[in-house]
Amino acid sequence: MRLIVKYHPEINIKSRSVRRRFSKLLESNTRSIIKRIFESAHVISRWSDLLIETTELPRETELEIIDALSRIPGVDQFNEVIEYPFVDFDTAFKDVARHWQDELEGKTFCVRVKRSGKHDFTSSELERYIGGGLNQAVESAKVSLRKPDITVKAELRGDRFQVVKTHHRGLGGMPIPSQEDVLSLISGGFDSGVATYHLMRRGARTHFCFFNLGGKEHEIGVKQVSYEIWKRYSSSHKTKFISVDFDPVVAEILTKIDNGLMGVVLKRMMMRAASQVADRLNIKALVTGESLGQVSSQTLTNLNVIDRVTETLILRPLIHLDKAEIIDTSRKIGTHDFAAAMPEYCGVISKKPTTRAVLSQIIEAESHFDMSILDDAVNNADVMDIRDIAKQAAEEVQELEQVTELPADAVVIDVRSPDETDDSPLVLDGVEVIEIPFFRIATQFGDLDQTKPYFLYCDRGVMSRLQALLLHEHGYKDVKVYRK
């Protein structure tokens, strides 16, 4: 397998020194991720692209590499190529025809060749020769230079001719950590997950700060979302997951703060706490999923009052987006199902929340608040490496048994997402398999026949263990994890 990886265009326009630094970061990140899939893969940095080479692999492994590469920040696009020595025009035509002739039946097409090095001919001359040969070889095909059904691509580098087998789009953006670290206020909903993704894509190593308003079940759900976002878009670097128990803070707000001001005060307390966490971790900016006017606390006036509580930079990448756009992005990045299943934990609900908070009134209201409660919440926060979430899930369910052999009466519940089960259905000889995606397991498990033994399954065992934690929280103790 041979892949040519193109840098995001913004990298190419940087100064020579910055471009070199960014390309080295992207090379390192790519190597770290790809070698987890195939240890012997070679990743080579070149001035205009990255070259990834492997020995012949099963197509399943190749597709796993392609999927991982498509989610690395800084990768604009990449091509699967087959390389041949360049001999002459006729040999180049035959090399292209070997891979594309059957694909052109009944289609319009054009040929595009990129060329580097010294040659006594132009790219257009080579394109015309290959295109003419394909047009003669495939009677039902027709050349169309303006809007072809298929664009046949190739690259000539010196004396090496590369036929592009498949073209793939990348994530774009900047490589991590080309920007400074940020702390994302993650709630598990649509907005915070999408905001986190945008900062990762922009090259910032993004840590997670979670304010727990809903107990253990809320924490487990947010850990799932955070772990999945990190695994998809930021797994080249370790990050922190910080969980802050905010129940005591909410209780103080409910006791001391006027009803209409509660929402703004809660946000200010979160910003205070997040700033303290950021200071301790030497992080210079906070990230939120706030969108202008989406709820009462997100008016311009209220956001201004909220921001006054800290000197830490607050980034709001979704500020101009509406909810539909945010939800569409969540589908694209794979967090939609998590967010849709996450219960709403409001903390405080005002009957008539203010949309135009007055700073002096907020300060006066907060003068009655016992700030030691906030300090205690931050001091007692649980700080963990996000890579340990899977390990912690296994340790927290000590009674949970993980098996590779199933009893005769076993029922396996496949908790993977519908996309995963559609692509790779779980089939076990003589064993009943039920598909209940992770975001429905907590509500649907109770409808099953509780006299049967159930075994949860997912590809890597992380999601199945986390779902077992949720089921235990709901009182279902006789649950095991199945690993193939």
Side-chain angles (χ1 to χ4, degrees), residues 82-322:
I82 309 295
E83 186 172 274
Y84 302 96
F86 181 76
V87 179
D88 53 32
F89 276 27
D90 191 57
T91 303
F93 154 68
K94 291 177 181 177
D95 292 337
V96 172
R98 187 177 297 114
H99 297 283
W100 281 102
Q101 185 168 324
D102 293 342
E103 303 294 327
L104 298 181
E105 292 284 353
K107 303 290 179 61
T108 61
F109 76 97
C110 71
V111 177
R112 294 287 180 254
V113 177
K114 289 186 177 180
R115 185 177 56 85
S116 60
K118 294 183 178 180
H119 306 95
D120 59 358
F121 55 85
T122 67
S123 299
S124 296
E125 290 171 339
L126 182 55
E127 289 172 350
R128 285 195 293 271
Y129 188 93
I130 295 173
L134 291 172
N135 199 34
Q136 291 182 357
V138 186
E139 292 185 2
S140 62
K142 183 179 180 181
V143 174
S144 173
L145 300 181
R146 297 189 65 182
K147 292 183 178 181
D149 297 325
I150 296 175
T151 299
V152 177
K153 297 181 179 180
E155 294 192 23
L156 178 59
R157 294 170 176 262
D159 61 352
R160 308 303 296 175
F161 185 64
Q162 297 172 341
V163 180
V164 176
K165 180 181 175 183
T166 312
H167 176 74
H168 301 277
R169 296 299 305 176
L171 190 64
M174 297 292 187
I176 299 172
S178 57
Q179 311 303 316
E180 294 175 271
D181 289 13
V182 298
L183 183 66
S184 179
L185 278 60
I186 189 84
S187 67
F190 293 107
D191 303 339
S192 61
V194 173
T196 300
Y197 156 78
H198 279 302
L199 266 295
M200 289 176 172
R201 183 181 178 276
R202 201 58 196 164
R205 180 162 58 177
T206 305
H207 305 268
F208 301 85
C209 184
F210 163 58
F211 295 107
N212 193 345
L213 305 174
K216 189 66 174 180
E217 186 173 345
H218 189 195
E219 182 177 46
I220 293 169
V222 175
K223 281 181 176 178
Q224 288 178 346
V225 177
S226 303
Y227 182 85
E228 189 68 15
I229 296 172
W230 169 81
K231 185 179 72 172
R232 284 174 178 261
Y233 305 108
S234 185
S235 64
S236 57
H237 290 77
K238 63 181 181 181
T239 61
K240 301 290 187 185
F241 181 91
I242 302 96
S243 179
V244 184
D245 181 5
F246 236 52
D247 265 353
V249 176
V250 171
E252 182 74 356
I253 290 174
L254 292 171
T255 304
K256 302 287 183 65
I257 306 300
D258 289 342
N259 187 278
L261 305 181
M262 287 179 177
V264 173
V265 171
L266 177 62
K267 287 294 184 69
R268 280 167 61 91
M269 293 301 170
M270 287 181 173
M271 293 303 176
R272 282 190 175 97
S275 295
Q276 291 184 40
V277 172
D279 286 344
R280 294 178 186 185
L281 297 176
N282 196 29
I283 296 172
K284 304 303 182 185
L286 308 178
V287 180
T288 80
E290 290 162 317
S291 173
L292 187 61
Q294 190 176 114
V295 296
S296 61
S297 65
Q298 295 174 21
T299 62
L300 280 176
T301 299
N302 286 352
L303 290 175
N304 181 32
V305 170
I306 291 167
D307 286 4
R308 299 295 185 92
V309 81
T310 178
E311 293 183 1
T312 307
L313 176 65
I314 301 174
L315 302 175
R316 295 183 171 96
L318 312 185
I319 195 68
H320 68 295
L321 300 179
D322 60 37

